[in-house]
Amino acid sequence: MYILQVEDDFASAHQLREYKGKCENLHGHNWRVRVRVKGERLGPIGMLMDFGDLKRLVKALMDELDHKFLNETPPFDTLNPTSENLAKYLYDRLSAALPDGVRPHEVTVWESEKCAATYTE
C-alpha cells in the first residue's frame, strides 16, 4: 500500500451548537488539515498520483471553507461544525474527487497547535 500526504490550512469562524462553555460563542480558528491518500498500484511513471494534483484538490476544499462562518456554510448550517465533523466532511469530499485507484486514508484537522481530530475508515 502506498500512502501520500499533503497539508494545507484555512481560517474560519464557528459556534458549537448545544455546547456549554466558551466554544458556544462565536470564535475563529486557523485550521490546519493533513490529508493522507492511499492506493495499491503505481501508474506507468511510478507515482500513485501527482502531488501537485493532490495539493490542488485539497486547496480547492480549503478555499470553500476559508474565511467563512461555518455555521452558515452547508453542511454545517445543520451539522455541528466540530473538528470531528470537519474531518469526516473533508474525507467524504476528497473521496468523490480522487482518481480511480486512489482513496482517502485519513484526514486530520487541527483547530489549534495541540488539538486535532482524525477521521479514517
Side-chain angles (χ1 to χ4, degrees):
M1 187 66 63
Y2 298 95
I3 297 174
L4 302 181
Q5 172 179 307
V6 298
E7 293 189 17
D8 206 333
D9 55 63
F10 67 97
S12 67
H14 70 159
Q15 293 175 272
L16 297 182
R17 296 177 193 95
E18 299 181 36
Y19 182 84
K20 303 303 177 214
K22 291 190 307 184
C23 292
E24 70 183 325
N25 298 318
L26 177 63
H27 64 285
H29 295 285
N30 291 317
W31 307 86
R32 189 174 102 212
V33 176
R34 179 182 64 212
V35 167
R36 299 178 82 202
V37 300
K38 64 184 176 180
E40 296 178 4
R41 300 198 196 303
L42 301 180
I45 63 170
M47 295 181 352
L48 180 63
M49 86 178 279
D50 187 291
F51 276 113
D53 293 339
L54 182 55
K55 287 193 274 188
R56 277 187 288 282
L57 284 174
V58 172
K59 177 72 172 139
L61 292 173
M62 301 301 99
D63 286 348
E64 291 177 12
L65 301 173
D66 192 40
H67 284 79
K68 299 283 176 72
F69 177 39
L70 295 180
N71 295 65
E72 295 177 350
T73 305
F76 303 107
D77 53 344
T78 56
L79 182 65
N80 215 9
T82 63
S83 297
E84 294 88 343
N85 284 334
L86 276 166
K88 169 96 168 55
Y89 168 76
L90 293 170
Y91 184 102
D92 290 345
R93 290 291 313 277
L94 190 62
S95 252
L98 289 170
D100 289 341
V102 181
R103 60 192 186 280
H105 177 58
E106 66 181 22
V107 173
T108 301
V109 175
W110 282 265
E111 65 174 46
S112 71
E113 188 177 308
K114 298 178 183 178
C115 298
T118 299
Y119 182 82
T120 188
E121 287 188 342

